[in-house]
Amino acid sequence: MIFIAVKFTVRSAERDNWLPAVEPFTLATRQEPGNLFFEWSYSVENPDQFVLLEAFASPEAGEAHVKSEHFAAAMEGMAGLVARTPEIINVDVPGDGWSLMAELTPRGE
C-alpha cells in the first residue's frame, strides 16, 4: 500500500474556503479504483493547516492518481489557496488499510 500524509498550510483568508474548494478533488479521488482512503483533518495547533491522509493499493494506482485530470485541476486551484509548499510523507507500507491499535480498547458502557 502507498501511504501518503500531506500538510497543507493555507492562507488565513482562505481557511474557510479550503474544504469546499477541494471537495471535487476529494470525491473524484475516492472513486479511483486503487484508492483505499482519502481523509482530511485539520491541525488543532495551527488553524491554517489541513492534513490529508491517503492510501493507494499499489504504486500503479498512485501513479494513475497523480496523472488524473482531477489531480491536475486540484493542484491548479490549490496553488491560489496555499501559503507555502505542502509537506509530504510518501511511503510504501505492508497491508491494505487501517489496522486496529493493540494498546487501546474501549471500556464497557
Side-chain angles (χ1 to χ4, degrees):
M1 160 175 87
I2 304 301
F3 176 76
I4 303 164
V6 188
K7 290 183 180 182
F8 295 88
T9 301
V10 302
R11 296 177 182 153
S12 293
E14 299 296 345
R15 178 184 319 129
D16 293 339
N17 298 325
W18 181 258
L19 291 176
V22 299
E23 184 173 9
F25 176 50
T26 299
L27 295 175
T29 301
R30 287 176 177 165
Q31 295 302 309
E32 292 177 18
N35 180 256
L36 300 174
F37 57 84
F38 195 87
E39 300 177 10
W40 290 100
S41 60
Y42 62 88
S43 170
V44 296
E45 296 174 359
N46 179 351
D48 295 335
Q49 191 172 79
F50 291 83
V51 178
L52 174 61
L53 299 179
E54 58 185 307
F56 296 89
S58 66
E60 295 79 16
E63 184 177 346
H65 170 64
V66 298
K67 289 183 175 180
S68 69
E69 289 182 22
H70 57 269
F71 183 90
M75 296 305 105
E76 179 65 27
M78 288 177 179
L81 303 175
V82 295
R84 66 177 188 236
T85 302
E87 301 168 78
I88 188 169
I89 298 171
N90 184 330
V91 295
D92 189 2
V93 298
D96 58 3
W98 294 96
S99 298
L100 296 178
M101 183 177 173
E103 297 81 7
L104 181 64
T105 56
R107 290 194 179 114
E109 296 181 14

